[in-house]
């Protein structure tokens, strides 16, 4: 038995090489993966250099600030208007800002996700509200619509097509050439024989793919051994997805139709799972859980703002009641206290609108999260975005972190302003810094992986059941 | 002629017997219906929000109370991009262009908040629009329908029989093409009626002046596009030895045209012409405002020049002696300089966009999918040019608003009395509410000459290929 299967494998391998299938496969896969990875790399490099130049600008400004502070503390007069003097804490809090950056993940090259829509650094200041910060990146809407030619596109859209081209006639061709009848006259079941053939091709394609991914990703400077957990998840997901399409192709072959019919059915499945289901899910998500526009949010903020300014005086009293530590310092400015008191009111009044926005967005996310199990393409895309740190969730999280940091930044200067204190050179190193903490998402990707393998197993069972039912059909058709 | 009809009716009968074809036809009718309905729902939702907010904004502007005109100019107002009724058919760039803008003195706020930001990341799979079905899925149906049109006859030997009975290839080919056209029309008829009804009923509140012309043009362009695919499929089938070969050739073409090439072109053009980041762009605008476009004329110098000019013109010693409030004048001068700087930087940026999109237009010469997609967005009012047209109108409105505020300040207030003077609702009413109308269909189509040329070139090419193949075919020797 063992000998027989090795014969089949050898024959299969030789015929694939003779038909130039393998050569074609390696060529086309390398070209696609290389192009995608280079695209991804360009994007990631751009992101890194944007952040770096922002940080350099901050460092430069800081050094000027230190020189100015030095002169001021030494008692010299400096030729700077009052509203640029860094010894004023409000000036520090307004113009000597920190960069709150979201550096790309090690694996960001894999999936562009939402990274082409958002900026990756902002500089929150102590005035205004952090949710007013605009994270929109400059981009050509046409490019956004077509989306990025990234690795996830190659793996999710194109890989199944390669699998289809590789397997649509795996059984039908043998029947059309009359080999199947010969095989069936031997003591090996057609199902088993098909399985062996498909397995051989699957392992071959997997091997080529893994080697290519490793080679090209390391060429682009992505180390797949650095975060071994993530890399393995990425590889397993890809192989699982590949397996799904192989099993599906075998199943279609088992239906016992002509090669052309198999191709039609497989393409129909591809359209359904990769194009139709995801775009319908989107459409439904928008109709079921429409998210109020952010513009509306900003709009309501302005109404509240105008309202709050009118009653700033009354507000101050209440504010000082809430913040007794900030009251009653000689030399502190009542104007500032009024300003921040108003800000607090605005914040509490706008909160319901803000919450509505967040809740709706979360509802939409949750709904899409639940429904993602209906298509392996959705499963894979959601996992890839998670691994790359480029999902909407990541950007939401980043926004939240920036928002928290903006508060920390404000609160760092507030007491100084209220007490009328000066900012000194020694305080410079003690300024709060922002560090982005990427959210962990192992559960999501693990669930996706599990779902993918359940898919494969279920299809496999269907195949086994069918073949036991339709054995004679397969040969005669 | 008789032969043509016989072939035509035979093709339709055969197709109706195919379970897969009938199923796919039904699925496409359903999809078009669902896509159109979903498009309508989201159109209604968004339109309602926009109308409501617009009313609120107007009320807010009119009832802002007495205040200094410059404060009002800073208070500003919001403008929303109206949805066009045809956007329910083709969403186009709507998810990716900004939808609202804040109008304020001194600053050109770029269009904020792309709707795609407010979605889960799956938005990047695209949305199911009726246009998408017509552009991508219907061609696939055509391929499934027509790939075996000749190969089946050839493989089963009926081709020889037909030719020996004196049926010409010409009759055979056109009989088949016509049959597929009729079947497709039958499938698309309910949809056509639907979109026609929607566009007629939804006209009153419209930002599009010529919906009927647009629908007509859309129908024509899609008609040509689908005819192209039908002819291509029949031609490939005519030239192929087996059904399998014909199918694979057509599928490779389809994948290349609709999936692979558009994305590749978009990404290449992005790599060729890299955009600056938003922050860099804004920083450049600020730097130019501060130091002048030449980098050598800072604000203080510009202000001193302006002051000198007015003092000389009116023969006075100080700005206080001028017959109007000089602050209003200097404010407006600053505004105009800011506009100049912004226009310069924006035109640079738009130049980049244009270069990027130009590649797509050139690519459409070899890819009819791209040309029909561009034309469809253009006619639905969801393309880049309509979006830029809207932005320009908004900016013109903003400038007029600020100019009126500054003029009022110059005419009616005294120098230095910033808190003293207050304008009232009379001034606010002088500012008309913003309303937008898209350019006419023919104006917008002027930007799409390459796409139009592409469609006609493709038709010529396919007709040429078919007539050449018909003349050269020798079935009996095969």
């Amino acid at each position: 038995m063992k000998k027989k299967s090795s014969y089949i494998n050898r024959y299969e391998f030789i015929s694939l090489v003779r038909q130039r299938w393998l050569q074609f496969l390696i060529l086309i896969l390398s070209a696609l993966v290389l192009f995608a990875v280079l695209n991804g790399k360009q994007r990631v490099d751009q992101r890194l250099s944007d952040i770096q130049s922002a940080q350099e600008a901050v460092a430069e400004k800081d050094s000027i600030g230190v020189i100015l502070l030095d002169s001021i503390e030494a008692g010299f007069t400096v030729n700077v208007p009052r509203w640029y003097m860094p010894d004023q804490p409000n000036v520090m809090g307004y113009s000597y800002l920190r960069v709150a950056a979201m550096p790309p993940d090690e694996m960001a090259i894999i999936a562009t996700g939402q990274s082409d829509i958002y900026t990756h650094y902002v500089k929150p200041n102590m005035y205004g509200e952090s949710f007013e910060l605009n994270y929109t990146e400059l981009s050509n809407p046409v490019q956004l619509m077509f989306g990025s030619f990234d690795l996830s596109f190659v793996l999710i859209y194109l890989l199944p097509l390669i699998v289809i081209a590789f397997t649509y006639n795996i059984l039908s061709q043998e029947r059309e050439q009359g080999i199947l009848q010969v095989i069936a006259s031997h003591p090996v079941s057609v199902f088993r024989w098909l399985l062996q053939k498909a397995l051989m091709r699957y392992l071959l394609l997997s091997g080529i793919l893994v080697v290519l991914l490793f080679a090209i990703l390391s060429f682009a400077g992505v180390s797949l051994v650095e975060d071994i957990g993530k890399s393995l998840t990425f590889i397993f997901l890809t192989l699982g997805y590949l397996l799904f399409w192989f099993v599906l192709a075998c199943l279609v072959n088992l239906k016992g139709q002509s090669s052309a019919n198999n191709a039609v059915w497989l393409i129909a499945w591809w359209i359904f799972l990769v194009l139709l289901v995801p775009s319908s899910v989107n459409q439904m998500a928008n109709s079921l859980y429409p998210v109020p526009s952010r513009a509306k949010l900003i709009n309501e903020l302005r109404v509240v703002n105008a309202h709050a300014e009118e009653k700033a005086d009354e507000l101050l009293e209440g504010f000082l009641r809430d913040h007794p530590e900030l009251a009653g310092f000689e030399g502190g400015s009542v104007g500032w206290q009024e300003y921040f008191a108003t800000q607090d009111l605005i914040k509490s009044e706008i909160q319901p609108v803000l919450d509505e926005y967040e809740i709706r967005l979360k509802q939409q996310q949750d709904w899409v999260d639940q429904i993602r199990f209906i298509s392996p393409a959705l499963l894979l895309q959601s996992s890839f975005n998670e691994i790359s740190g480029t999902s909407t969730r990541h950007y939401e999280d980043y926004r939240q972190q920036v928002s928290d940091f903006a508060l920390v930044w404000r609160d760092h200067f507030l007491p100084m302003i209220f007490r009328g204190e000066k900012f000194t050179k020694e305080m410079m190193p003690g300024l709060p810094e922002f560090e982005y903490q990427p959210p962990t998402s192992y559960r999501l990707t693990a669930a996706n992986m599990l779902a993918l393998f359940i898919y494969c197993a279920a299809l496999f069972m269907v195949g086994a059941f069918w073949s036991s039912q339709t054995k004679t059909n397969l040969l005669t058709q | 002629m008789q032969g043509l009809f016989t072939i035509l009716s035979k093709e339709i009968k055969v197709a109706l017997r195919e379970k897969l074809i009938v199923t796919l036809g039904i699925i496409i009718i359903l999809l078009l219906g669902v896509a159109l309905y979903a498009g309508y729902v989201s159109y209604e939702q968004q339109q309602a929000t926009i109308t409501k907010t617009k009313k609120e904004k107007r009320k807010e502007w009119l009832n802002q109370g007495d205040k200094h005109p410059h404060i009002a100019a800073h208070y500003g107002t919001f403008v929303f991009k109206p949805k066009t009724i045809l956007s329910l058919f083709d969403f186009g760039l709507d998810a990716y262009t900004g939808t609202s803008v804040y109008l304020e003195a001194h600053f050109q706020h770029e269009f904020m908040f792309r709707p795609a930001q407010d979605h889960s990341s799956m938005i990047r799979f695209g949305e199911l629009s009726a246009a998408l079905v017509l552009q991508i899925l219907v061609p696939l149906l055509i391929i499934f329908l027509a790939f075996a049109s000749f190969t089946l006859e050839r493989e089963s030997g009926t081709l020889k029989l037909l030719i020996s009975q004196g049926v010409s290839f010409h009759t055979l080919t056109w009989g088949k093409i016509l049959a597929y056209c009729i079947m497709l029309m039958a499938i698309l008829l309910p949809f056509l009626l639907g979109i026609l009804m929607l566009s007629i009923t939804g006209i009153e509140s419209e930002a599009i002046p010529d919906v009927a012309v647009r629908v007509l043009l859309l129908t024509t362009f899609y008609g040509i596009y689908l005819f192209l695919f039908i002819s291509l499929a029949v031609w490939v089938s005519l030239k192929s030895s087996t059904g399998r070969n014909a199918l694979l050739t057509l599928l490779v073409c389809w994948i290349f045209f609709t999936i692979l090439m558009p994305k590749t072109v978009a990404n290449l053009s992005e790599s060729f012409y890299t955009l600056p980041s938003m922050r860099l762009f804004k920083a450049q605008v600020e730097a130019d405002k501060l130091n002048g476009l030449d980098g050598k004329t800072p604000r203080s110098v510009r202000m001193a020049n302006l002051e000198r000019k007015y003092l000389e013109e009116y023969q006075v010693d100080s700005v206080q002696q001028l017959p109007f409030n000089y602050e209003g004048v200097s404010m407006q001068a600053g505004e105009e300089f800011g506009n100049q700087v912004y226009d310069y930087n924006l035109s640079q940026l738009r130049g980049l966009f244009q270069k990027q999109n130009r590649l797509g237009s050139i690519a459409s010469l070899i890819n009819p999918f791209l040309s029909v997609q561009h034309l469809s967005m253009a006619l639905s009012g969801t393309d880049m040019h309509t979006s830029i047209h809207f932005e320009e109108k908004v900016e013109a409105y903003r400038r007029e608003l600020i100019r009126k505020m500054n003029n009022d300040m110059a005419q009616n207030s005294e120098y230095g009395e910033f808190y003293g003077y207050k304008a009232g609702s009379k001034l606010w009413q002088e500012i008309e509410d913003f309303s937008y109308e898209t350019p006419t269909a023919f104006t917008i189509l002027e930007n799409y000459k390459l796409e139009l040329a592409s469609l006609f070139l493709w038709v010529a090419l396919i007709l040429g290929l078919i007539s050449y193949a018909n003349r050269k075919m020798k079935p009996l020797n095969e």
Side-chain angles (χ1 to χ4, degrees), chain B residues 283-310:
Chain B
Q284 187 60 48
V285 172
E286 286 311 310
D288 286 351
K289 272 190 192 170
L290 207 63
N291 305 322
L293 276 171
D294 54 2
K296 286 179 249 160
T297 334
R299 196 178 121 83
S300 53
V301 175
R302 292 196 309 268
M303 283 299 151
N305 286 345
L306 183 79
E307 197 177 315
R308 195 164 349 101
K309 187 185 140 211
Y310 270 88

Short mmCIF file of all heavy atoms in Angstrom, two decimals, chain B residues 283-310:
data_model
loop_
_atom_site.label_atom_id
_atom_site.label_comp_id
_atom_site.label_asym_id
_atom_site.label_seq_id
_atom_site.Cartn_x
_atom_site.Cartn_y
_atom_site.Cartn_z
N ALA B 283 1.86 71.92 7.40
CA ALA B 283 3.03 72.66 7.87
C ALA B 283 3.54 73.57 6.76
O ALA B 283 3.93 74.71 7.01
CB ALA B 283 4.12 71.70 8.31
N GLN B 284 3.51 73.07 5.52
CA GLN B 284 3.98 73.87 4.39
C GLN B 284 3.09 75.09 4.20
O GLN B 284 3.59 76.20 4.00
CB GLN B 284 3.96 72.99 3.13
CG GLN B 284 4.57 73.63 1.90
CD GLN B 284 6.02 74.00 2.10
OE1 GLN B 284 6.80 73.20 2.59
NE2 GLN B 284 6.37 75.24 1.78
N VAL B 285 1.77 74.88 4.31
CA VAL B 285 0.85 76.01 4.17
C VAL B 285 1.13 77.05 5.25
O VAL B 285 1.23 78.25 4.96
CB VAL B 285 -0.62 75.53 4.27
CG1 VAL B 285 -1.57 76.71 4.33
CG2 VAL B 285 -0.98 74.65 3.09
N GLU B 286 1.32 76.59 6.47
CA GLU B 286 1.59 77.53 7.57
C GLU B 286 2.90 78.27 7.35
O GLU B 286 2.99 79.47 7.56
CB GLU B 286 1.62 76.78 8.91
CG GLU B 286 0.24 76.35 9.41
CD GLU B 286 -0.78 77.49 9.36
OE1 GLU B 286 -0.46 78.59 9.87
OE2 GLU B 286 -1.87 77.30 8.78
N ALA B 287 3.92 77.53 6.90
CA ALA B 287 5.24 78.14 6.68
C ALA B 287 5.13 79.20 5.59
O ALA B 287 5.68 80.30 5.72
CB ALA B 287 6.24 77.07 6.28
N ASP B 288 4.39 78.89 4.53
CA ASP B 288 4.24 79.86 3.44
C ASP B 288 3.47 81.09 3.89
O ASP B 288 3.75 82.20 3.46
CB ASP B 288 3.52 79.22 2.24
CG ASP B 288 4.43 78.27 1.49
OD1 ASP B 288 5.63 78.26 1.82
OD2 ASP B 288 3.95 77.54 0.60
N LYS B 289 2.48 80.87 4.77
CA LYS B 289 1.72 82.01 5.27
C LYS B 289 2.62 82.92 6.10
O LYS B 289 2.51 84.13 6.09
CB LYS B 289 0.56 81.52 6.14
CG LYS B 289 -0.70 81.23 5.36
CD LYS B 289 -1.84 80.99 6.32
CE LYS B 289 -3.03 80.39 5.60
NZ LYS B 289 -4.05 79.94 6.55
N LEU B 290 3.52 82.28 6.85
CA LEU B 290 4.39 83.02 7.76
C LEU B 290 5.46 83.78 7.00
O LEU B 290 5.69 84.96 7.24
CB LEU B 290 5.04 82.01 8.73
CG LEU B 290 5.43 82.55 10.09
CD1 LEU B 290 4.21 83.01 10.85
CD2 LEU B 290 6.17 81.47 10.87
N ASN B 291 6.10 83.10 6.06
CA ASN B 291 7.26 83.69 5.40
C ASN B 291 7.01 84.13 3.98
O ASN B 291 7.92 84.55 3.28
CB ASN B 291 8.42 82.69 5.39
CG ASN B 291 8.74 82.21 6.79
OD1 ASN B 291 8.68 83.01 7.73
ND2 ASN B 291 9.04 80.93 6.94
N GLY B 292 5.80 84.02 3.50
CA GLY B 292 5.50 84.37 2.11
C GLY B 292 5.83 83.21 1.19
O GLY B 292 6.64 82.35 1.54
N LEU B 293 5.20 83.24 0.01
CA LEU B 293 5.41 82.14 -0.92
C LEU B 293 6.85 82.09 -1.41
O LEU B 293 7.38 81.03 -1.76
CB LEU B 293 4.47 82.28 -2.11
CG LEU B 293 3.06 81.71 -1.91
CD1 LEU B 293 2.16 82.11 -3.05
CD2 LEU B 293 3.12 80.19 -1.77
N ASP B 294 7.52 83.25 -1.42
CA ASP B 294 8.92 83.26 -1.85
C ASP B 294 9.84 82.92 -0.68
O ASP B 294 11.05 82.80 -0.87
CB ASP B 294 9.28 84.60 -2.45
CG ASP B 294 8.95 85.75 -1.51
OD1 ASP B 294 8.47 85.48 -0.38
OD2 ASP B 294 9.14 86.92 -1.88
N GLY B 295 9.26 82.78 0.51
CA GLY B 295 10.06 82.46 1.68
C GLY B 295 10.83 83.65 2.24
O GLY B 295 11.59 83.54 3.20
N LYS B 296 10.63 84.84 1.65
CA LYS B 296 11.43 86.01 2.06
C LYS B 296 10.60 87.18 2.54
O LYS B 296 11.15 88.18 2.97
CB LYS B 296 12.31 86.47 0.88
CG LYS B 296 13.48 85.54 0.61
CD LYS B 296 14.29 86.05 -0.58
CE LYS B 296 14.14 85.11 -1.75
NZ LYS B 296 14.44 85.63 -3.04
N THR B 297 9.26 87.09 2.38
CA THR B 297 8.43 88.22 2.80
C THR B 297 7.58 87.83 4.00
O THR B 297 6.45 87.38 3.83
CB THR B 297 7.50 88.64 1.64
OG1 THR B 297 8.11 88.27 0.40
CG2 THR B 297 7.20 90.10 1.66
N PRO B 298 8.09 87.99 5.19
CA PRO B 298 7.30 87.60 6.36
C PRO B 298 6.09 88.50 6.55
O PRO B 298 5.99 89.58 5.94
CB PRO B 298 8.28 87.73 7.52
CG PRO B 298 9.36 88.62 7.04
CD PRO B 298 9.43 88.46 5.56
N ARG B 299 5.21 88.05 7.40
CA ARG B 299 3.94 88.74 7.64
C ARG B 299 4.15 90.20 8.01
O ARG B 299 3.45 91.09 7.51
CB ARG B 299 3.21 88.01 8.77
CG ARG B 299 1.75 88.34 8.89
CD ARG B 299 1.11 87.55 10.00
NE ARG B 299 0.54 88.46 11.01
CZ ARG B 299 -0.65 89.02 10.88
NH1 ARG B 299 -1.38 88.78 9.84
NH2 ARG B 299 -1.12 89.85 11.79
N SER B 300 5.13 90.48 8.90
CA SER B 300 5.34 91.85 9.37
C SER B 300 5.64 92.78 8.18
O SER B 300 5.10 93.89 8.10
CB SER B 300 6.47 91.89 10.38
OG SER B 300 7.61 91.26 9.83
N VAL B 301 6.45 92.31 7.25
CA VAL B 301 6.80 93.14 6.09
C VAL B 301 5.56 93.38 5.23
O VAL B 301 5.28 94.50 4.80
CB VAL B 301 7.90 92.43 5.25
CG1 VAL B 301 8.19 93.22 3.97
CG2 VAL B 301 9.15 92.24 6.07
N ARG B 302 4.77 92.31 5.03
CA ARG B 302 3.57 92.45 4.22
C ARG B 302 2.61 93.46 4.83
O ARG B 302 2.01 94.29 4.15
CB ARG B 302 2.87 91.10 4.07
CG ARG B 302 3.64 90.08 3.25
CD ARG B 302 2.74 88.94 2.81
NE ARG B 302 1.99 88.34 3.90
CZ ARG B 302 2.41 87.29 4.62
NH1 ARG B 302 3.58 86.74 4.37
NH2 ARG B 302 1.67 86.80 5.60
N MET B 303 2.48 93.38 6.16
CA MET B 303 1.55 94.26 6.86
C MET B 303 2.02 95.72 6.76
O MET B 303 1.23 96.63 6.53
CB MET B 303 1.45 93.86 8.34
CG MET B 303 0.60 92.62 8.53
SD MET B 303 -1.04 92.99 7.95
CE MET B 303 -1.61 91.45 7.43
N ALA B 304 3.33 95.93 6.92
CA ALA B 304 3.89 97.28 6.85
C ALA B 304 3.67 97.86 5.45
O ALA B 304 3.28 99.02 5.30
CB ALA B 304 5.37 97.24 7.19
N ASN B 305 3.88 97.02 4.44
CA ASN B 305 3.67 97.48 3.06
C ASN B 305 2.23 97.92 2.84
O ASN B 305 1.97 98.96 2.23
CB ASN B 305 3.99 96.35 2.07
CG ASN B 305 5.48 96.13 1.96
OD1 ASN B 305 6.27 96.98 2.40
ND2 ASN B 305 5.87 95.00 1.41
N LEU B 306 1.32 97.11 3.34
CA LEU B 306 -0.10 97.40 3.16
C LEU B 306 -0.46 98.72 3.83
O LEU B 306 -1.14 99.57 3.27
CB LEU B 306 -0.94 96.25 3.74
CG LEU B 306 -2.43 96.39 3.55
CD1 LEU B 306 -2.80 95.99 2.13
CD2 LEU B 306 -3.20 95.51 4.53
N GLU B 307 0.05 98.88 5.04
CA GLU B 307 -0.25 100.09 5.82
C GLU B 307 0.27 101.32 5.07
O GLU B 307 -0.45 102.31 4.90
CB GLU B 307 0.42 99.97 7.20
CG GLU B 307 -0.16 100.94 8.20
CD GLU B 307 0.45 100.76 9.58
OE1 GLU B 307 0.58 99.61 10.02
OE2 GLU B 307 0.83 101.78 10.18
N ARG B 308 1.52 101.22 4.58
CA ARG B 308 2.12 102.33 3.85
C ARG B 308 1.25 102.68 2.65
O ARG B 308 0.97 103.84 2.38
CB ARG B 308 3.54 101.96 3.42
CG ARG B 308 4.32 103.20 3.00
CD ARG B 308 5.82 103.00 2.93
NE ARG B 308 6.35 101.78 3.48
CZ ARG B 308 6.70 100.72 2.74
NH1 ARG B 308 6.54 100.71 1.44
NH2 ARG B 308 7.21 99.63 3.32
N LYS B 309 0.81 101.66 1.96
CA LYS B 309 0.03 101.88 0.74
C LYS B 309 -1.24 102.68 1.04
O LYS B 309 -1.55 103.67 0.37
CB LYS B 309 -0.36 100.51 0.14
CG LYS B 309 -1.01 100.60 -1.21
CD LYS B 309 -1.48 99.23 -1.70
CE LYS B 309 -2.84 99.41 -2.37
NZ LYS B 309 -3.70 98.26 -2.25
N TYR B 310 -1.95 102.30 2.11
CA TYR B 310 -3.19 102.99 2.44
C TYR B 310 -2.94 104.39 2.93
O TYR B 310 -3.68 105.32 2.62
CB TYR B 310 -3.99 102.18 3.48
CG TYR B 310 -4.91 101.20 2.79
CD1 TYR B 310 -4.50 99.94 2.46
CD2 TYR B 310 -6.21 101.60 2.45
CE1 TYR B 310 -5.31 99.07 1.81
CE2 TYR B 310 -7.05 100.73 1.80
CZ TYR B 310 -6.60 99.45 1.47
OH TYR B 310 -7.43 98.61 0.82
#
